Amino acid sequence: MERALLTPDLSLSRLVYGMWRLGDDPDTSPAHVQAKVETCLAQGITTMDQADIYGGYTAEALLGAALRQAPGLRERIEIVTKCDIVAPVGRHAGARVKYYDTSAAHITASVEASLREMATDRIDLLLIHRPDPLIDPDETGAALDGLVASGKVRAVGVSNFRPWDMDLLQSRMTARLVTNQIELSLTAHAALVNGDLAHLHQHKIAPMAWSPLAGGALAQAGALRAKLDALGLAAGTDWSAVAIAWLLHHPAGILPVLGTNSLARIARIADALHVPMDRQTWYELYTLALGREVA
């Protein structure tokens, strides 16, 4: 498994297992969650993507229960988690409205809760989940720097930020923002041309891609899906592996975050690493995704 070096002492697996649907599985037992992690590890997928809000603030605890029952498992994985979304459910049921909170107090409290829920003494990568119109970059930046200095967080980044939002926060920080996790897939491809991906590439920041299979939309994408099926058949795999290979081919070094509760599907995530992808094939798929020739 190829790895992406984010800092001198932190690397992530090129394919990342997304845990946003962990609580949707009829079986949320520690043993079943452990089986998912072990199935990832068997392929070299060591990075687990979480967020405090996933599962209505329950998904981190599900992972934590598995880590408590499996001594040594924590040392074999990297944990990514996120904070700043406050939704009126779970621990924030008393909130009057869904909102973002990038205050130092909220970030610190969220990290402490995440550490407790996931039964760990450190978070490998903490992301600010959504841009906050009320962000005070000096306060937020100092809070993130403090968490890195404390050792509770090894590295920090952002999610869903535009380039200028990211630059503003970075301008007030000592620690480097090491990723931006953005929506990116064959059907959500605006980042290829709107500056989001170019900004990360320019600054040698590893992009992470959420919903790389477009939340199931690719399954009904007409001619695009037919082409994916044909390429998958030729490579001895299925259409989803081809869609991920399309992202992996980009020179920016995209890290797709894939989430599924099926052990059988988890076991085939790494198929994407073995799908041939050249420039013309990449553009064939892009053309079908655009619905027209490139200009």
Side-chain angles (χ1 to χ4, degrees), residues 158 160-170 177 180 182 191 194-200 202-203:
V158 295
N160 302 297
F161 273 45
R162 300 306 308 278
W164 45 86
D165 296 316
M166 194 171 183
D167 286 346
L168 172 62
L169 180 56
Q170 184 67 86
L177 296 171
N180 187 10
I182 57 177
N194 69 5
D196 290 349
L197 201 55
H199 175 262
L200 297 171
Q202 176 187 354
H203 294 284

Side-chain angles (χ1 to χ4, degrees), residues 75-92:
E75 302 309 314
R76 299 169 63 196
I77 64 173
E78 302 86 40
I79 295 176
V80 181
T81 197
K82 312 174 194 72
C83 69
D84 96 328
I85 301 178
V86 181
V89 296
R91 73 179 70 141
H92 296 298

Side-chain angles (χ1 to χ4, degrees), residues 33-71:
V33 174
Q34 180 184 348
K36 294 176 183 180
V37 175
E38 297 280 7
T39 302
C40 287
L41 289 172
Q43 305 167 78
I45 299 169
T46 61
T47 305
M48 309 294 137
D49 183 79
Q50 277 275 5
D52 60 356
I53 195 175
Y54 288 167
Y57 303 98
T58 65
E60 288 183 328
L62 294 175
L63 174 59
L67 296 179
R68 285 185 178 93
Q69 80 156 19

Side-chain angles (χ1 to χ4, degrees), residues 1-6 9-15 41 43-47 76-78 154 206 253 255 273:
M1 174 66 64
E2 182 183 345
R3 299 191 65 81
L5 189 66
L6 272 60
D9 64 351
L10 176 63
S11 66
L12 305 184
S13 54
R14 185 70 187 280
L15 297 172
L41 289 172
Q43 305 167 78
I45 299 169
T46 61
T47 305
R76 299 169 63 196
I77 64 173
E78 302 86 40
R154 295 177 65 193
L255 283 69
L273 299 171

